[in-house]
Amino acid sequence: MPVPKSALAVILIVLVLAACDDGAAPVATTQPATTAPPASSTTTTPATTTTPVPTTTTTTLRPLSALAYEEVARIEFPIQMIPRPGTALSYVASRDGRIWLYDGEVVADTPVLDISARVRSGGEQGLLSITLHPEDPSRLFAHYSDNDGDTVVSEISMPTESSADPGTERVLLTVDQPASNHNGGMIQFGPDGLLYLGLGDGGGANDQFGNAQNRDTLLGGLVTLSVEGDPNPTLFAYGLRNPWRFWIEGETIYIADVGQGSFEEVSVTELAPDLNFGWPITEGLHCFSPPSGCDTGGITLPLVEVEHGDSGTCSVTGGLVYRGQAIPEVAGHYFYSDYCGGYLRSFRYENGSVVDQTDWTGQVGNAGDVTSFGVDPAGELYLTTTDALLKVVPVRG
């Protein structure tokens, strides 16, 4: 049950970096990958800098000195926060199958929805993502692991802002899961009105089920669903290992794909069908299978790669593009973190390249086990950890 904070003062959080374990939502398999030479590619990944972006702005705001975390609530394993447009309300989903109402100040004591009896929660399984219909907020969509551990995507009616009716559930998709890990997670509507779903490769390690390059399965892919009439689940893109979080902005998609044992990656590309993101041919920018060399022709390689060992990295947590008003200096920045690393980093995507890569961790502190990101109706940025909801706020001189 969430415990709201009575004081909403800006705080810099310094948490002890927690090691990944079986309780992690998007944790990478810990079996190390064979060291491999770089794949043949002209893609480059600029080094992350620790220099903040320029603070010059045309607004009347005082200069930006730093970013900071404000802890707004304590919640047991929150995994996502989404806004309810046209209101000051947001919804926070927790892994156990409950959804909580957040009014911008406190999280309600009573859940908006409780489907915990239908959800297998633990490790990488549970209620994994929620979203609202872009034109009708009374239609809630959820992605969760059922009691057999299989994937379910369904629609649930929300007759009021503060209540959803579990008895109205309409299942849009079920997918058998051969293992308990790599369930993917994110669901989000695209500009075409379709619901997009990220699915992992079926679990285990090293794509042992051979799904990621198999276009006859939905596993290891980005999947589209219609929420009107026949869902018609379709494999939109493939070659993914465990896309725990992605973010669609206009015709661009950012996909943070959890790596095996050596590299985490973020791909940014046009939202186009039939793209191959490389797994298990590549892991990050490197050949994975075979490790001695690989043909990367036709593969969409990531623009950002983070090596394991970099600040405790083990499992990338994306991530969204900031479009709020409180921190115009970082407008257009895509923010991301890592479940083990707990850092806060960002970059901008411009003309097909990554620019302004920035590490904010020295300012905000280490957040601990970061499970997801979210925004409120004003577009302000939040993180969820395994036990808290954090807001990113500006510190101005």
Side-chain angles (χ1 to χ4, degrees):
M1 179 173 294
V3 181
K5 289 289 183 180
S6 58
L8 297 180
V10 174
I11 58 173
L12 293 175
I13 297 178
V14 181
L15 296 175
V16 178
L17 179 63
C20 293
D21 58 21
D22 290 340
V27 174
T29 304
T30 56
Q31 296 184 14
T34 304
T35 302
S40 299
S41 170
T42 58
T43 303
T44 58
T45 306
T48 300
T49 69
T50 56
T51 304
V53 296
T55 59
T56 56
T57 176
T58 58
T59 71
T60 58
L61 297 173
R62 289 177 295 174
L64 180 66
S65 300
L67 300 183
Y69 287 143
E70 176 184 302
E71 183 178 296
V72 298
R74 304 290 290 183
I75 304 175
E76 184 178 353
F77 221 112
I79 54 87
Q80 193 180 14
M81 172 178 161
I82 64 169
R84 185 179 179 99
T87 72
L89 304 175
S90 301
Y91 301 104
V92 183
S94 54
R95 185 179 63 175
D96 62 5
R98 294 181 291 176
I99 299 175
W100 309 91
L101 184 67
Y102 172 58
D103 66 4
E105 295 185 357
V106 297
V107 173
D109 291 330
T110 303
V112 172
L113 177 70
D114 185 347
I115 55 170
S116 56
R118 306 174 191 178
V119 174
R120 177 185 286 184
S121 177
E124 297 182 23
Q125 297 174 319
L127 175 58
L128 305 180
S129 183
I130 60 173
T131 192
L132 296 176
H133 191 281
E135 297 178 356
D136 184 358
S138 71
R139 300 174 67 181
L140 171 71
F141 297 85
H143 170 206
Y144 65 89
S145 308
D146 69 11
N147 287 319
D148 293 323
D150 295 326
T151 290
V152 174
V153 178
S154 64
E155 177 181 353
I156 298 172
S157 175
M158 184 178 286
T160 72
E161 295 176 341
S162 59
S163 66
D165 182 359
T168 65
E169 183 176 20
R170 177 174 72 100
V171 174
L172 300 174
L173 175 70
T174 59
V175 179
D176 291 340
Q177 289 286 352
S180 62
N181 59 339
H182 302 185
N183 296 282
M186 186 78 172
I187 55 173
Q188 185 184 8
F189 280 93
D192 51 11
L194 296 175
L195 184 64
Y196 285 72
L197 161 71
L199 283 178
D201 63 8
N206 308 310
D207 192 23
Q208 67 185 65
F209 301 107
N211 288 321
Q213 292 294 316
N214 179 4
R215 303 186 70 178
D216 292 328
T217 178
L218 299 179
L219 294 173
L222 191 65
V223 178
T224 57
L225 299 165
S226 170
V227 299
E228 312 297 342
D230 181 3
N232 187 29
T234 302
L235 183 66
F236 184 81
Y238 62 106
L240 294 165
R241 183 176 179 274
N242 191 28
W244 167 243
R245 289 291 179 259
F246 59 82
W247 186 255
I248 298 172
E249 183 176 69
E251 298 293 338
T252 302
I253 186 168
Y254 299 70
I255 303 177
D257 195 17
V258 178
Q260 178 72 37
S262 298
F263 302 98
E264 304 300 305
E265 64 181 65
V266 180
S267 297
V268 191
T269 185
E270 179 184 357
L271 188 62
D274 301 322
L275 296 180
N276 180 2
F277 290 97
W279 174 254
I281 300 169
T282 55
E283 181 190 16
L285 294 168
H286 296 254
C287 293
F288 182 83
S289 179
S292 58
C294 58
D295 181 5
T296 58
I299 290 176
T300 300
L301 292 169
L303 295 188
V304 171
E305 174 190 86
V306 186
E307 187 171 5
H308 287 205
D310 176 353
S311 303
T313 289
C314 80
S315 177
V316 64
T317 303
L320 52 81
V321 178
Y322 177 79
R323 295 296 180 188
Q325 300 298 312
I327 324 173
E329 296 88 346
V330 298
H333 273 244
Y334 172 83
F335 285 85
Y336 66 101
S337 185
D338 185 87
Y339 183 82
C340 297
Y343 44 71
L344 182 65
R345 295 176 180 177
S346 71
F347 62 81
R348 288 192 304 108
Y349 179 63
E350 184 176 281
N351 299 323
S353 299
V354 166
V355 298
D356 292 340
Q357 292 200 77
T358 308
D359 191 337
W360 305 93
T361 315
Q363 297 178 12
V364 298
N366 189 297
D369 302 332
V370 178
T371 60
S372 192
F373 285 75
V375 292
D376 63 17
E380 298 308 321
L381 179 65
Y382 292 73
L383 284 76
T384 57
T385 70
T386 52
D387 59 5
L389 177 63
L390 308 177
K391 184 178 183 180
V392 178
V393 296
V395 178
R396 298 193 177 276

